[in-house]
């Protein structure tokens, strides 16, 4: 839909659970629980917002584009991300998508996915395990499937 709900707020998504991927299970096993993800959506204007994604000492801030209607939404963006593998610095272009249903308590059924769209500077094959087209899907691994509203940004 063209009228996404207001999703502004701070949320704790966790534990993060690996749901699906096209990477061999020996390299990326499924049903593994990872540390919490902290999200903040702000400055929403129609179908654009600012998002901060924080997990394990990594903070990413991006402009996200929104779609949806009623309580359901999709937020997405494309980014260039630099990865270090030993002496190599590889740049990947990846698409990132979040989806869920906004409610008073937070975001129900929150999932997010990433897909590698391009790889640059990988002259030594440092990330050959994750070629273009590799995707990863995560979900909120809590029993209630709810990414709770929680003020975390200034903690």
């Amino acid at each position: 839909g063209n009228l996404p709900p207001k999703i502004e707020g701070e949320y704790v998504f966790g534990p993060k659970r690996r749901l699906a991927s096209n990477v061999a299970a020996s390299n990326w096993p499924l049903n593994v629980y990872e540390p919490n993800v902290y999200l903040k959506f702000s400055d929403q204007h129609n179908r654009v917002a600012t998002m901060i994604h924080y997990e394990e000492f990594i903070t990413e801030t991006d402009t996200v584009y929104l779609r949806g209607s009623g309580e359901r939404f999709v937020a997405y963006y494309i980014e260039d991300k630099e990865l270090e593998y030993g002496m190599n610095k590889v740049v990947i272009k990846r698409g990132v998508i979040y989806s869920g249903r906004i409610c008073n308590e937070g975001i129900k059924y929150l999932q997010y996915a990433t897909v590698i769209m391009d790889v640059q500077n990988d002259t030594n094959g440092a990330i050959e395990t994750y070629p273009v087209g590799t995707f990863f899907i995560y979900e909120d691994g809590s029993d209630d499937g709810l990414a709770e509203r929680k003020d975390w940004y200034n903690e």
Side-chain angles (χ1 to χ4, degrees), residues 69-80:
S69 62
E71 299 170 337
R72 298 183 184 279
F73 74 92
V74 172
Y76 60 95
Y77 63 96
I78 295 174
E79 72 172 351
D80 290 330

Side-chain angles (χ1 to χ4, degrees), residues 86-115:
M87 299 299 288
N88 295 327
K89 287 189 178 180
V90 178
V91 177
I92 63 168
K93 181 180 293 278
R94 70 179 189 155
V96 183
I97 303 169
Y98 298 81
S99 69
R101 190 185 68 162
I102 198 78
C103 63
N104 290 335
E105 298 81 23
I107 303 173
K108 287 288 284 181
Y109 317 116
L110 180 62
Q111 294 184 339
Y112 86 93
T114 65
V115 62

Side-chain angles (χ1 to χ4, degrees), residues 31 33 41 53 88 96 139 144 153:
N31 294 313
Y33 289 85
F41 294 99
H53 176 125
N88 295 327
V96 183
E139 70 176 357
D144 60 6
Y153 187 64

Side-chain angles (χ1 to χ4, degrees), residues 36-54:
N36 291 348
V37 173
Y38 298 85
L39 297 173
K40 178 180 181 182
F41 294 99
S42 62
D43 304 321
Q44 183 175 345
H45 181 70
N46 294 327
R47 296 184 305 205
V48 178
T50 300
M51 184 202 67
I52 297 172
H53 176 125
Y54 172 83

Side-chain angles (χ1 to χ4, degrees), residues 128-149:
E128 64 187 20
T129 303
Y130 307 111
V132 171
T134 299
F135 70 86
F136 307 93
I137 302 174
Y138 304 91
E139 70 176 357
D140 186 299
S142 62
D143 291 337
D144 60 6
L146 176 70
E148 292 86 7
R149 286 187 187 270

